[in-house]
Amino acid sequence: MNVIGKVTVLPQLPPSIARLSELAYNLYWSWTPHAQALYQELDSANWERFQHNPVRQMLEVPQARLEQAAADPAYLARYAKVMADFDAYMGKQDTWAAKNAAGMKPVAYFSMEYAFHESLPIYSGGLGVLAGDHCKSASDLGIPFTAVGMLFHQGYFRQLFDKDGWQNEAYDELDLTTLPITPALTDSGEEARVKVRIGDRDVHVRIWNLNVGRIKVLLLDTNVPENNEDDRKLTARLYGGNQELRVQQYVLLGVAGIRALRVLNVPGDVYHMNEGHAALLGLERTREYVARGLDFKTALETVASSTLFTTHTPVAAGNDAFAYDLMDRYIGAWPAQLATSRDELYRLAEHEQMWDGHPVPTFSMTVFALNMSRAANGVSELHGEVSRDMWKFLYPGAETEEVPIGHVTNGAHNLTFTSQAMRDLLSNVLPADWTERLEDEQMWEAVEGLTDQQLQNVQRDMKRDMITFVRGRMREQMLRNGASAADVAATDTLLDENTLTIGFARRFATYKRATLLFRDKARLSRIVNHPERPVQFVFAGKAHPADNPGKSFIQEIYKISQEPEFRGKIVILENYDMHVARHLVQGVDIWLNNPRRPLEASGTSGMKASFNGSPNLSILDGWWREGFDGTNGWPIGEEREYADLNVQDDADAFSMYHTLETDITPRYYGGLSGQPTWASTVRRAIQTVSPRFSMQRQVIDYVQKYYRPIAERGAKLASGNSTRARELAAWKGWVRQQWPYTTLTATAQMPATARPGQTVPVTAHVNPAGINLDELRVEAVLNRGGHLTRVPLTSRGGGTFSAEIPLKDSGLYSVGVRMLPVIDGLSNDLEAGLIKWA
C-alpha cells in the first residue's frame, strides 16, 4: 500500500472507567500490579503481544469490550480501588522529603538510558534499571526531581537466537503514538523545541514528557523533519554506533538536555550526572555563566560546585575516551564560547592512554566529569575503593584512600520487582504503611513471623509462573527456528517445580563469567542429575552487538543446554528484558552471580531476587560484599584478588560446586542436622536485603550525603554574581602559579623502637613562595598497615612547623611530612590538586 498518511483513533472510554487513559500515561502502573491487571483483563492476548503497554492496549481494545468492563461491578470495584490508591499517592503531602528534607532544592538527573518498563525499551541493562529505579524512588519519597534522557526510536535491540544459539540483533521502530509519552509544552502552550550546534550544523530537538509517579522525565528526540537523515538517527539506537555517533549523542544529552530544562522553566540547583555519558552538560552550564559575564574559571567553579558525578564501571573499556581530533569536529567551537582556550578546556578531560603502543592524550568523559564536579561517588563500598585507586593519578601525591570519590551502594525499587503474591504475604506481618518505610531495617524484623508453609506456598506459586513463562518462551524460539515437532513438544517438560532452581541473568560481558559454572562439566553433571537432590539452571542475558566473545559465551551455554545430560535442566532464554527479569527474580530459588572480583561495580539483580525470598550465591564483590552476613545466602570464593586469572577461575568454580553440594542442596531438600533450615535462610534474605538495598535507602543516602550539601555549597558559591567562586578561582590560580617555587623540608627524630603511646618529634620548614602560611596545611602522615593517620603540625613562626606525633598502637609505621594548600569553602582538601612531600 502507498501510505499517504496515518491517524490514531483514540478510544472512547465509558465515563465509569474514563481515567484508565490518565493512568496509562503515568508509569505509576509499572510498579503496581493491580493497576496493570485492569488493562490485562481487557484482552490478555494483546497485553502479552504488546509488551504490557496500557496505552497500546487502550488503542486495541474494541469499544464493546470497554462497555462490557464498564458494566461489570467486580471490574468497577477493582478500578475504584486502584484509582483511589493512585490519587492518594499523587496527592500525598507528608512524604519522606516533606518530613525529613523540607526545603530541599530541586535535582536535575541526567542518564543515557532509563529502564522503567519493557514497553519503553530505551535501556540496555543495569545502568538503565538503576536510573529508572532512582526516578521511581525519587517519586515515592517526594523529592523535587527531574530526569533527562534520550528517546531512542529503535531502543537497544531485540535479541534472537538462531538454531545454533548465536545471538542476532533486530531493531524495531517504536510507534510513539503508542507510548506513555506526551509532547512537552512550554509555558505558552507550544511544543518544546531546542537546537544544539553539533559540528558544523544545528540539530533540532523535540522534547517529550514522561510522567513517573510524581516526577517528570524529559526525553530528547532528533527524529524531526527539520533535521537531515543522519541527524534524525542520533536518537535511533542506544549504544548502537561508532565513536563519532557516541560523541554526538553525548553532546546532545548534555547540551540539549540543559536547554530542555531551560525552555521548560524546570529548576535545578543540583545536577547529577549518572555516568560519564552526561559529562558535557558542564559545557552548556559553563557557557550560560560566561554569557552572563563571568570569566571561564569563575564559571567553572560555579558549575562544578553544584554538580555530582556517579561513576559506574571499574572496567577501563567502560570509560569513554576520544581522540582530540574527533572532539575538535564536534565541540571545536566551544572554547571560544567559554572564553577559554582549547588547551585549557581539553586539559580538564586529559587522560593519557596507550593507543597502538604509543602514549596518546585522550578526551576522557570520566576525567571531564570528575573535573566538572565537586562531588563524586562509586556505587558500592568496594567500587568506591577501586575508583579511588583507578583515578588517583588526577591527584598527584595523594594516597589512594584520600581521593575524593565516595560511595553510595546501589539499591533496587522493591515494588517494581517484588511479586504481588509476595507483597500480599508481607502485608500479613508488616505494618500498613510498609511500602513507604522500605528502608526501615527494624520494621523488617517482622518477617520472622512468616511461617515456613506460607513462604513455601508463595514461592512455589511464583516458581510455577516462571516455569510456565520459560516453557512458552522456549516454544516460541523453537517454532521460529524450525525445530522438530519432538523438540517443540519437549518444551512442555522443561524444568521441574520440585527441583532446586538457580537463576543467572545479566549483561554477557566477559568479566561476568557466565560460563564459570561449566568449568568442570563432569562435576556439574553430577550436581544437576543427583538422584535425590537435583539442580536446574535458567540463564538469560544480552551481549553488546559488537561483543563477539560475549556472544560466544551465550552460544556455549546454549550448546551445553542441548547435551543429553543437561537437556531440559539448563535453559537459556533469549531477549532478556525487564519482563524476563521479573519472572526470574520472582521464580528461582537461588540467584547466582560470579563476576571476576573486583570488576562488578555493584550489581542489583541479586537484590531483587532476595526481595522475593531467593538467597544469593555470589562472589564477594559489588553489593554482595556488603550484603552477605553469613545467614542470608552464600559466598563464592574469598575476599581477595588473584594475579593469575585461571587460578581465580579454578578457585571460584571449586567454591561454587563445593557450596552447592555440601550446603545448599542438602539444606533445600530437607536440611542438615544442626544447620539453619531453608525457610530460615529465605526469611533472612528478605529481612536483611529488602531494607538495606532498597532504592528508597539509596535515594535517601544521595539526599543526605550529596544533594543537600551540594545545593548548600552551590548556592554559596553562586551568590552575589558568583563572588565566592571568583575568589576560589583566583586563589587557585595564584597558588598553582607559585607552587613550583615552594619548598618543604622536614626531620623526624625516629628511635629504632618505641612503645605504644610514645611520641616522635617532627619539624618542618616551609618556603611559601608568597602564599599565605595560613593557607598551607603542613602535616605528618603516618602509614600503618596501609591505614593513614594525618597529624597537623603547628606553625611556630618564620615558616617553621612542628608537633609531637603519637604512636598509639604497636606496629610498623612509615612517617612522612607534606603540605597542601587549603582555604575555607573547598569541597575537599585535595580540590586544588596540589601536594608537596618533604
Side-chain angles (χ1 to χ4, degrees):
M1 182 175 72
N2 184 24
V3 178
I4 61 171
K6 291 184 178 182
V7 61
T8 300
V9 180
L10 300 174
Q12 186 63 43
L13 288 167
S16 59
I17 56 173
R19 295 185 66 200
L20 283 177
S21 180
E22 174 193 348
L23 182 60
Y25 283 89
N26 190 312
L27 290 189
Y28 166 87
W29 56 258
S30 71
W31 65 88
T32 312
H34 288 317
Q36 295 168 36
L38 293 177
Y39 301 101
Q40 181 179 11
E41 289 178 48
L42 297 174
D43 188 328
S44 58
N46 270 348
W47 181 250
E48 293 300 324
R49 179 184 172 195
F50 297 121
Q51 291 77 49
H52 321 107
N53 179 349
V55 175
R56 184 65 183 270
Q57 182 81 321
M58 300 306 295
L59 293 173
E60 299 290 340
V61 175
Q63 191 68 36
R65 178 67 187 102
L66 294 173
E67 299 291 348
Q68 183 184 37
D72 180 352
Y75 185 90
L76 289 175
R78 291 191 294 275
Y79 167 83
K81 178 66 167 65
V82 167
M83 294 313 302
D85 289 346
F86 176 54
D87 289 339
Y89 179 89
M90 294 298 291
K92 187 175 177 62
Q93 297 299 312
D94 60 334
T95 62
W96 177 90
K99 292 184 285 189
N100 298 280
M104 181 180 160
K105 300 299 183 182
V107 177
Y109 179 90
F110 283 64
S111 183
M112 191 72 172
E113 55 172 301
Y114 292 90
F116 295 112
H117 188 260
E118 59 269 18
S119 61
L120 188 62
I122 56 173
Y123 63 94
S124 71
L127 180 72
V129 175
L130 181 91
D133 283 6
H134 196 116
C135 293
K136 292 173 182 177
S137 283
S139 168
D140 293 340
L141 294 166
I143 71 172
F145 188 93
T146 304
V148 180
M150 311 262 272
L151 181 63
F152 294 102
H153 288 247
Q154 296 176 7
Y156 190 40
F157 66 86
R158 184 161 49 89
Q159 179 193 50
L160 301 170
F161 295 162
D162 64 20
K163 60 184 177 58
D164 296 318
W166 187 256
Q167 171 183 298
N168 293 284
E169 297 85 35
Y171 291 89
D172 304 317
E173 189 74 24
L174 298 177
D175 183 347
L176 303 192
T177 64
T178 68
L179 299 179
I181 58 175
T182 55
L185 303 178
T186 65
D187 291 343
S188 59
E190 299 174 340
E191 285 196 11
R193 299 287 184 101
V194 298
K195 64 181 179 181
V196 57
R197 191 83 174 168
I198 300 181
D200 59 357
R201 78 275 181 200
D202 287 330
V203 176
H204 298 265
V205 184
R206 174 169 50 191
I207 306 163
W208 295 91
N209 181 70
L210 174 68
N211 293 318
V212 180
R214 304 179 182 111
I215 72 151
K216 293 185 182 298
V217 181
L218 306 181
L219 299 174
L220 309 174
D221 173 18
T222 65
N223 189 19
V224 295
E226 298 94 314
N227 290 331
N228 65 39
E229 194 61 32
D230 287 340
D231 289 341
R232 294 184 75 155
K233 291 177 180 177
L234 288 176
T235 54
R237 296 180 181 178
L238 172 63
Y239 309 140
N242 56 21
Q243 285 206 317
E244 294 237 3
L245 177 63
R246 293 189 77 156
V247 170
Q248 295 175 78
Q249 289 181 328
Y250 297 168
V251 173
L252 188 67
L253 176 62
V255 178
I258 292 294
R259 292 179 184 176
L261 294 172
R262 304 298 184 253
V263 76
L264 293 167
N265 288 323
V266 176
D269 286 57
V270 175
Y271 292 81
H272 186 171
M273 301 182 291
N274 189 44
E275 195 50 276
H277 313 131
L280 297 184
L281 69 82
L283 293 178
E284 176 63 6
R285 292 194 61 216
T286 304
R287 185 201 63 79
E288 292 176 326
Y289 282 108
V290 169
R292 296 177 201 169
L294 298 187
D295 64 275
F296 172 69
K297 290 183 178 178
T298 301
L300 171 61
E301 292 296 335
T302 307
V303 167
S305 68
S306 56
T307 306
L308 168 66
F309 169 56
T310 297
T311 178
H312 285 267
T313 176
V315 181
N319 292 273
D320 287 308
F322 303 101
Y324 280 3
D325 61 346
L326 176 60
M327 298 305 296
D328 288 342
R329 284 202 287 280
Y330 297 111
I331 67 167
W334 278 89
Q337 295 183 61
L338 302 178
T340 188
S341 66
R342 173 186 182 271
D343 287 347
E344 188 168 27
L345 179 62
Y346 283 25
R347 201 156 39 239
L348 293 168
E350 184 176 347
H351 185 188
E352 190 172 272
Q353 303 195 54
M354 294 299 293
W355 284 4
D356 296 327
H358 303 286
V360 177
T362 67
F363 191 106
S364 164
M365 302 301 286
T366 302
V367 172
F368 192 62
L370 287 166
N371 282 320
M372 294 299 291
S373 57
R374 292 292 177 261
N377 71 282
V379 291
S380 70
E381 183 179 52
L382 180 57
H383 180 232
E385 295 172 13
V386 171
S387 297
R388 287 189 285 278
D389 187 60
M390 189 172 185
W391 302 107
K392 69 180 179 182
F393 70 89
L394 297 173
Y395 304 90
E399 300 296 323
T400 297
E401 72 176 55
E402 300 177 292
V403 171
I405 299 176
H407 81 276
V408 171
T409 299
N410 282 347
H413 190 251
N414 304 59
L415 300 186
T416 293
F417 295 99
T418 307
S419 75
Q420 187 62 55
M422 180 59 73
R423 286 159 70 164
D424 291 342
L425 178 62
L426 292 171
S427 293
N428 291 329
V429 294
L430 296 178
D433 64 344
W434 70 272
T435 61
E436 298 172 21
R437 298 166 50 194
L438 293 165
E439 77 287 355
D440 184 346
E441 294 187 34
Q442 185 174 357
M443 177 192 77
W444 285 93
E445 293 175 5
V447 167
E448 289 296 330
L450 295 174
T451 68
D452 294 9
Q453 194 62 50
Q454 285 176 310
L455 287 167
Q456 182 179 332
N457 291 345
V458 167
Q459 291 195 294
R460 180 60 57 85
D461 287 344
M462 292 192 295
K463 184 189 276 190
R464 285 173 180 154
D465 287 344
M466 181 199 70
I467 290 174
T468 299
F469 172 77
V470 169
R471 290 173 177 174
R473 276 294 180 99
M474 291 302 296
R475 181 181 179 85
E476 290 174 14
Q477 180 182 324
M478 291 282 189
L479 290 170
R480 192 189 67 250
N481 286 325
S484 68
D487 284 344
V488 173
T491 61
D492 292 337
T493 58
L494 279 178
L495 306 180
D496 172 63
E497 70 177 53
N498 297 308
T499 296
L500 173 65
T501 305
I502 299 178
F504 179 104
R506 57 193 36 85
R507 185 165 53 90
F508 265 61
T510 52
Y511 75 87
K512 293 179 183 283
R513 299 190 297 180
T515 57
L516 184 68
L517 178 68
F518 307 101
R519 198 160 181 85
D520 184 343
K521 284 172 58 180
R523 188 170 184 182
L524 176 64
S525 178
R526 294 195 297 272
I527 293 171
V528 166
N529 296 296
H530 192 285
E532 287 99 33
R533 300 193 296 268
V535 183
Q536 58 195 8
F537 295 86
V538 183
F539 287 82
K542 291 179 176 179
H544 186 278
D547 182 9
N548 283 331
K551 291 182 181 181
S552 295
F553 276 11
I554 291 172
Q555 186 175 51
E556 180 181 345
I557 296 171
Y558 178 84
K559 287 184 174 180
I560 290 172
S561 75
Q562 302 305 304
E563 295 176 4
E565 66 266 42
F566 298 120
R567 196 173 180 89
K569 299 164 186 175
I570 291 178
V571 176
I572 181 165
L573 297 176
E574 65 182 8
N575 203 31
Y576 181 51
D577 64 2
M578 290 188 74
H579 184 43
V580 174
R582 282 196 307 275
H583 276 288
L584 296 191
V585 299
Q586 293 171 8
V588 300
D589 297 305
I590 286 180
W591 197 258
L592 174 65
N593 189 25
N594 45 246
R596 191 182 302 286
R597 180 187 157 104
L599 300 182
E600 181 82 295
S602 174
T604 59
S605 56
M607 304 172 186
K608 302 156 192 170
S610 285
F611 295 167
N612 290 283
S614 301
N616 278 255
L617 170 62
S618 297
I619 297 288
L620 291 168
D621 195 9
W623 80 277
W624 187 236
R625 175 178 178 257
E626 301 167 51
F628 172 64
D629 71 357
T631 69
N632 58 356
W634 298 268
I636 297 174
E638 301 172 332
E639 214 176 330
R640 55 169 288 197
E641 282 77 60
Y642 292 77
D644 187 315
L645 301 186
N646 275 317
V647 172
Q648 183 178 15
D649 291 350
D650 282 339
D652 289 343
F654 177 85
S655 172
M656 185 193 314
Y657 297 139
H658 181 75
T659 302
L660 277 168
E661 291 171 324
T662 63
D663 188 341
I664 292 175
T665 53
R667 192 180 305 195
Y668 180 81
Y669 284 103
L672 295 166
S673 177
Q675 294 295 315
T677 65
W678 183 258
S680 68
T681 308
V682 168
R683 273 190 290 269
R684 287 293 296 167
I686 297 172
Q687 179 182 336
T688 58
V689 175
S690 296
R692 288 187 59 200
F693 299 98
S694 68
M695 179 57 67
Q696 209 143 298
R697 187 274 311 153
Q698 179 200 303
V699 175
I700 289 171
D701 280 356
Y702 273 109
V703 170
Q704 295 174 337
K705 294 176 66 173
Y706 291 108
Y707 292 163
R708 297 188 79 182
I710 288 171
E712 183 179 347
R713 182 171 184 270
K716 287 180 181 177
L717 265 68
S719 66
N721 197 29
S722 294
T723 298
R724 186 56 181 153
R726 184 176 292 104
E727 293 169 351
L728 283 179
W731 176 80
K732 286 182 184 178
W734 161 250
V735 168
R736 287 167 181 163
Q737 173 185 304
Q738 298 303 112
W739 196 250
Y741 309 109
T742 62
T743 61
L744 173 67
T745 60
T747 59
Q749 298 177 26
M750 302 289 291
T753 59
R755 297 182 305 277
Q758 192 171 333
T759 62
V760 173
V762 174
T763 302
H765 298 281
V766 173
N767 169 20
I771 300 173
N772 190 328
L773 282 172
D774 291 340
E775 295 170 356
L776 291 174
R777 175 178 296 163
V778 182
E779 59 189 17
V781 180
L782 282 71
N783 187 326
R784 176 181 176 271
H787 178 69
L788 301 184
T789 302
R790 297 158 58 178
V791 181
L793 305 187
T794 303
S795 176
R796 307 301 179 185
T800 298
F801 294 77
S802 66
E804 292 286 330
I805 309 302
L807 305 175
K808 294 183 178 178
D809 301 300
S810 60
L812 179 61
Y813 286 85
S814 298
V815 180
V817 174
R818 69 183 185 183
M819 69 176 179
L820 56 162
V822 294
I823 192 172
D824 286 346
L826 295 180
S827 60
N828 63 80
D829 290 348
L830 303 186
E831 185 179 316
L834 301 171
I835 296 176
K836 183 162 288 187
W837 289 87

